[in-house]
Amino acid sequence: MATYSEFLAALVEALGADRVQVGDAVPPRHHTDWSGTAPVPPLALVRPRSTEEVSALLLLCHAHRVPVVPQGGLTGLAGAAVPCAGGVALSLERMNAIEAVDARSATLTVQAGATVQAVQEAALAVGLQFGVDFGARGSAQVGGAVSTNAGGNGVLQYGMVREQVLGLEVVLADGTVLPMLRPMLKNNTGYDLKQCFIGAEGTLGVVTRALLRLRPLPRAKATALVALPDFDAALALLARLQGRFPGALSAFELMWRDFIEASLRWQTLREPFEAPHPFAALIDVGGQDEAGLRDALEEVLGEAMEAGEAVDAAIAQSEAQARALWKIREATAELPANMHPPINFDVSLPQADIGRFAQECRAALSARWPGHLSVFFGHIGDGNLHLSTDASTVNGEEGAVEELVYAQVAAFGGSVSAEHGIGLHKKPYLGASRTPAELAAMRAIKQALDPLHLMNPGKVFDL
Ligand SMILES: Cc1cc2nc3c(=O)[nH]c(=O)nc-3n(C[C@H](O)[C@H](O)[C@H](O)COP(=O)(O)OP(=O)(O)OC[C@H]3O[C@@H](n4cnc5c(N)ncnc54)[C@H](O)[C@@H]3O)c2cc1C
């Protein structure tokens, strides 16, 4: 098409041929993301090396009305980084420098294409840690983690990515650069603009640099698996642990019996306690002295047993034992191999309602698909519940299962996406968690920052 060829010629002239790949030259891995969404070949893949180049690219796309889909490590689970036909896929992978690490102020400045793991390693090198960690750390990029407001393992202690971001540099759809990289925690000077871009899934602008907070590194860790009689006991134990270890409880992973049974079966593991129990919680606590930490954990778990909150407990005495306890929780990696396929949910709910939600959800699924296989587990301290159903046990009726579960989420006032975002996959259900007035406010922000609707069009909501 003539307009495309003019645009591509201008692109190559502005950025140089080594930054641009066109048509069949675009590697297929850039056609989709981890979510398994049907691939869409973009018009071109552009891999700039600097903020100035990103700005030049967006200016050009704006002038030629060409849509842009930012791509990070492509590990997103909602289809948000899938290109659009006739548009540019903008990969940040060449902008991967860790620019500065300041141990005294516990901050790190990084280009958006650096991986989460690279940030973690740079923090560790100065005796600190980055408070964000999740399974895709080796591929997921800072820009992707910011744009999905990723969660993962550190949320209970440090919050989601939003809580780790002190500043951002963002390029808007018309090429304007917003240099919001101020290293202050307190900055009440009107709207906190950077917040708009965190969790925006690339629909408002391109994140090019980030100024991140780092956290102290605990010297010791204690891990325990605790058997629980019911959901309320789990909440009581969580409160007890948070009171006893303020700010140091780093994991409280609750597993329902269905999950534990599936995990033991899939991984051929032994029952962790003498008898099966309705729930088990996997607990990590950080501190400075390993032996003292284990003693303190033993004491508080003893109190919990006396109070009837816990039925049994195993405290790991070594790193190997801790890993063995975590193995039960890590059955999530086995879902794709053992469910055909899994229908996965990542919802969040008011913490106190999670037990009742799970009960009612399971009852509703059983009423419609007797004998279905569903497993429940979650980061209960964060209000985040995961549910996976084996599609082969519900006649493959994935859409009907989603409608049922998301209707329950809406009834409980929860969120259809705790961590993974909306992208394409959850777009039909956004209204279950957002009122029409909230959606109108989101559209107004989109309209103000991207009036031509060029940034990641069709993701999160339609205009
Ligand atoms: C094995 C595995 C485990 C996971 N565990 C977790 C978990 O525990 N918690 C969790 O929250 N997520 C998890 N995820 C999901 C995923 O890793 C995160 O959402 C991650 O933050 C995505 O980063 P990415 O760089 O791969 O982004 P991509 O998938 O490339 O993109 C995701 C979104 O961000 C946008 N984007 C990317 N870079 C930029 C940028 N520079 N500027 C503007 N927009 C941009 C894209 O357009 C898209 O909308 C997991 C994924 C996998 C595969």
Side-chain angles (χ1 to χ4, degrees), residues 3 21 31 35 65 71 100 123 141 149 185 196 208 214 221 233 253 318 352 365 385 395 404 419 430 435 460:
T3 51
Q21 286 163 287
H31 294 184
S35 67
R65 307 288 194 266
Q71 293 189 331
Q141 298 177 2
N149 186 26
L185 200 52
C196 285
T208 44
L214 302 179
K221 195 178 77 175
E253 299 290 304
S318 65
L365 287 166
L385 179 73
N395 311 323
L404 183 151
E419 290 195 324
L430 185 58
T435 64
V460 183

Side-chain angles (χ1 to χ4, degrees), residues 33-34 69-77 79-82 90 92 112-113 116 133-137 139-153 160 197 200-203 205-208 379 419-420 455-456 459:
D33 62 11
W34 194 286
V69 178
Q71 293 189 331
L74 297 166
T75 66
L77 300 172
V82 177
L90 164 54
L92 278 293
V116 168
D133 184 40
F134 51 89
R137 65 183 77 78
S139 304
Q141 298 177 2
V142 169
V146 167
S147 301
T148 55
N149 186 26
N153 303 334
M160 298 179 76
F197 303 93
E201 301 183 43
T203 59
V206 179
V207 176
T208 44
H379 324 284
E419 290 195 324
H420 300 155
M455 289 304 312
N456 211 358
K459 309 294 170 44

Side-chain angles (χ1 to χ4, degrees), residues 52-72:
E52 292 69 32
E53 290 187 4
V54 174
S55 172
L57 167 70
L58 293 194
L59 185 64
L60 209 56
C61 289
H62 200 253
H64 289 258
R65 307 288 194 266
V66 173
V68 179
V69 178
Q71 293 189 331

Side-chain angles (χ1 to χ4, degrees), residues 99-377:
E99 296 182 335
V101 189
D102 184 344
R104 282 172 314 167
S105 62
T107 58
L108 182 149
T109 308
V110 64
Q111 286 184 314
T115 63
V116 168
Q117 187 170 333
V119 171
Q120 292 173 339
E121 287 168 0
L124 281 176
V126 297
L128 295 168
Q129 64 168 331
F130 183 44
V132 173
D133 184 40
F134 51 89
R137 65 183 77 78
S139 304
Q141 298 177 2
V142 169
V146 167
S147 301
T148 55
N149 186 26
N153 303 334
V155 178
L156 187 55
Q157 216 170 355
Y158 303 117
M160 298 179 76
V161 162
R162 191 181 298 284
E163 267 71 55
Q164 325 307 323
V165 175
L166 280 175
L168 286 183
E169 179 185 79
V170 172
V171 184
L172 297 180
D174 64 359
T176 305
V177 180
L178 297 183
M180 307 169 289
L181 286 164
R182 300 179 182 89
M184 295 100 69
L185 200 52
K186 292 185 168 179
N187 182 9
N188 284 345
T189 49
Y191 302 150
D192 188 353
L193 290 177
K194 69 176 181 294
Q195 297 296 346
C196 285
F197 303 93
I198 303 173
E201 301 183 43
T203 59
L204 298 179
V206 179
V207 176
T208 44
R209 291 162 80 206
L211 177 61
L212 302 172
R213 290 171 84 176
L214 302 179
R215 310 287 181 166
L217 189 62
R219 289 206 198 105
K221 195 178 77 175
T223 299
L225 185 71
V226 185
L228 305 158
D230 54 44
F231 182 80
D232 287 343
L235 285 191
L237 176 64
L238 173 63
R240 184 184 288 277
L241 289 164
Q242 283 174 319
R244 178 66 180 75
F245 303 105
L249 183 66
S250 55
F252 191 92
E253 299 290 304
L254 190 65
M255 298 172 276
W256 275 247
R257 183 63 201 167
D258 46 35
F259 179 88
I260 300 168
E261 268 173 16
S263 173
L264 302 181
R265 190 171 65 246
W266 294 341
Q267 302 187 91
T268 43
L269 301 174
R270 291 216 332 259
E271 186 75 53
F273 300 109
E274 278 178 14
H277 298 281
F279 292 87
L282 191 60
I283 292 159
D284 269 351
V285 187
Q288 296 307 318
D289 149 50
E290 196 134 340
L293 197 58
R294 269 205 299 268
D295 289 349
L297 188 56
E298 193 171 334
E299 189 183 308
V300 72
L301 291 179
E303 290 163 11
M305 284 199 201
E306 273 174 33
E309 293 157 11
V311 188
D312 205 345
I315 299 178
Q317 301 299 319
S318 65
E319 185 56 37
Q321 284 185 8
R323 271 202 304 276
L325 295 180
W326 266 97
K327 185 110 181 103
I328 301 173
R329 171 64 180 78
E330 280 159 10
T332 43
E334 306 293 322
L335 288 168
N338 289 283
M339 287 188 162
H340 310 288
I343 308 170
N344 295 321
F345 296 92
D346 155 50
V347 301
S348 69
L349 297 141
Q351 197 185 51
D353 293 337
I354 293 176
R356 203 160 51 84
F357 170 87
Q359 226 170 13
E360 292 186 15
C361 223
R362 187 184 289 105
L365 287 166
S366 299
R368 176 128 178 216
W369 296 281
H372 69 96
L373 172 63
S374 299
V375 296
F376 290 75
F377 54 103

